[in-house]
């Protein structure tokens, strides 16, 4: 994760017939990852082997998701400059899923239509996508108003879900929906409307905003 730290291990085996000291030197690391050798040397008897926790890796705070690269470590015999082996440690930046929902406005017009508007902003480190769904506690006309870049079910006049992909980091877009409040109920009541928004990378962690609209019975 950005600003996160992990470690990498290296396996070394002395295949010679004399005790030797092996040293580790950092050769290179990706631009978004800083690496530090945590075990600089180890002495091994003939045919002895060891797994060393050898490198500490830290991703930069502004690293973009899914960026890859290798941290390269040289293994040398103690006191010599010649390299016995170069070990490539693959790294990959993990995605941070962070959506901010703000400027939520709910209004009921003179015709009894509840309008819902909110702004979603991608503050994670990955180009993400969203699945937006609308549900009501009452059987009444309702619909999302998909943005022009969204994909919704064809042939549906009042879509209750749509999907939007490839939303850039830092991008704002508006989620809009409407619900007609019931006109034929026998008694007064309240409609509860859930707007559910799910990230493409974290579909099991939805953001759910509940709107309410009071109506008068006939």
């Amino acid at each position: 994760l950005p600003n996160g730290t992990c470690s990498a291990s290296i396996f070394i085996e002395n295949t010679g017939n004399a005790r030797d000291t092996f040293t580790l030197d950092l050769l290179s690391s990706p631009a978004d990852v800083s690496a530090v050798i945590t075990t600089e040397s180890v002495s091994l008897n003939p045919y002895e082997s060891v797994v060393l926790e050898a490198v500490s890796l830290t991703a930069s705070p502004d690293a973009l998701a899914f960026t890859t690269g290798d941290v390269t470590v040289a293994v040398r015999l103690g006191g010599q400059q010649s390299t016995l082996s170069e070990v490539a440690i693959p790294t990959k930046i993990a995605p941070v899923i962070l959506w901010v929902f703000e400027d939520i406005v709910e209004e009921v017009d003179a015709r009894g239509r509840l309008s819902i508007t909110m702004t979603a902003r991608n503050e994670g480190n990955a180009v993400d996508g969203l699945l937006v769904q609308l549900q009501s506690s009452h059987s009444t006309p309702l619909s999302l108003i998909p943005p022009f870049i969204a994909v919704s079910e064809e042939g549906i006049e009042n879509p209750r879900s749509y999907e939007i992909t490839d939303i850039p980091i830092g991008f704002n877009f508006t989620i809009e929906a409407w619900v007609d409040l019931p006109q034929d109920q026998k008694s007064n009541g309240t409609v509860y409307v859930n707007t559910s928004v799910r990230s493409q990378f974290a579909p099991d962690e939805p953001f759910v905003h509940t709107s309410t609209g009071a109506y008068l019975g006939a």
Side-chain angles (χ1 to χ4, degrees):
L1 288 167
N3 216 29
T5 298
C6 60
S7 61
S9 299
I10 294 178
F11 171 80
I12 300 177
E13 182 180 10
N14 182 0
T15 59
N17 64 352
R19 181 176 177 83
D20 252 319
T21 298
F22 300 84
T23 61
L24 303 180
D25 293 314
L26 181 68
L27 295 182
S28 64
S29 62
D32 289 329
V33 177
S34 62
V36 177
I37 298 295
T38 54
T39 303
E40 295 182 350
S41 65
V42 61
S43 294
L44 298 176
N45 291 319
Y47 315 115
E48 185 181 6
S49 63
V50 66
V51 176
L52 298 175
E53 190 173 290
V55 188
S56 176
L57 311 171
T58 302
S60 63
D62 55 352
L64 297 180
F66 310 116
T67 302
T68 60
D70 289 343
V71 173
T72 306
V73 177
V75 182
R76 299 187 172 103
L77 282 177
Q80 298 184 17
Q81 292 302 312
S82 59
T83 300
L84 293 175
S85 178
E86 290 187 6
V87 181
I89 302 167
T91 66
K92 186 176 185 179
I93 303 300
V96 174
I97 307 306
L98 180 58
W99 285 92
V100 174
F101 298 88
E102 56 190 9
D103 300 330
I104 300 175
V105 178
E106 302 171 2
E107 296 178 332
V108 178
D109 63 18
R111 298 175 300 169
R113 172 167 288 186
L114 169 64
S115 297
I116 305 165
T117 304
M118 68 180 72
T119 299
R121 184 171 65 255
N122 183 2
E123 292 194 352
N125 71 339
V127 175
D128 201 356
L130 292 178
L131 174 62
V132 183
Q133 295 176 304
L134 190 68
Q135 294 178 314
S136 172
S137 60
H138 290 60
S139 178
T140 185
L142 73 162
S143 177
L144 290 163
I145 305 175
F148 70 95
I149 56 175
V151 176
S152 56
E153 191 174 355
E154 294 184 4
I156 301 298
E157 181 180 0
N158 296 327
R160 299 188 181 188
S161 66
Y162 66 78
E163 190 171 0
I164 182 170
T165 59
D166 299 329
I167 303 173
I169 299 169
F171 184 78
N172 289 341
F173 79 98
T174 302
I175 298 172
E176 296 179 281
W178 57 263
V179 180
D180 285 341
L181 300 180
Q183 304 292 323
D184 56 357
Q185 299 295 304
K186 293 182 179 180
S187 58
N188 298 347
T190 302
V191 172
Y192 294 87
V193 182
N194 287 339
T195 305
S196 301
V197 185
R198 302 173 187 270
S199 162
Q200 173 184 333
F201 294 119
D204 296 332
E205 302 173 11
F207 168 83
V208 180
H209 174 71
T210 301
S211 307
T212 59
Y215 60 84
L216 298 177

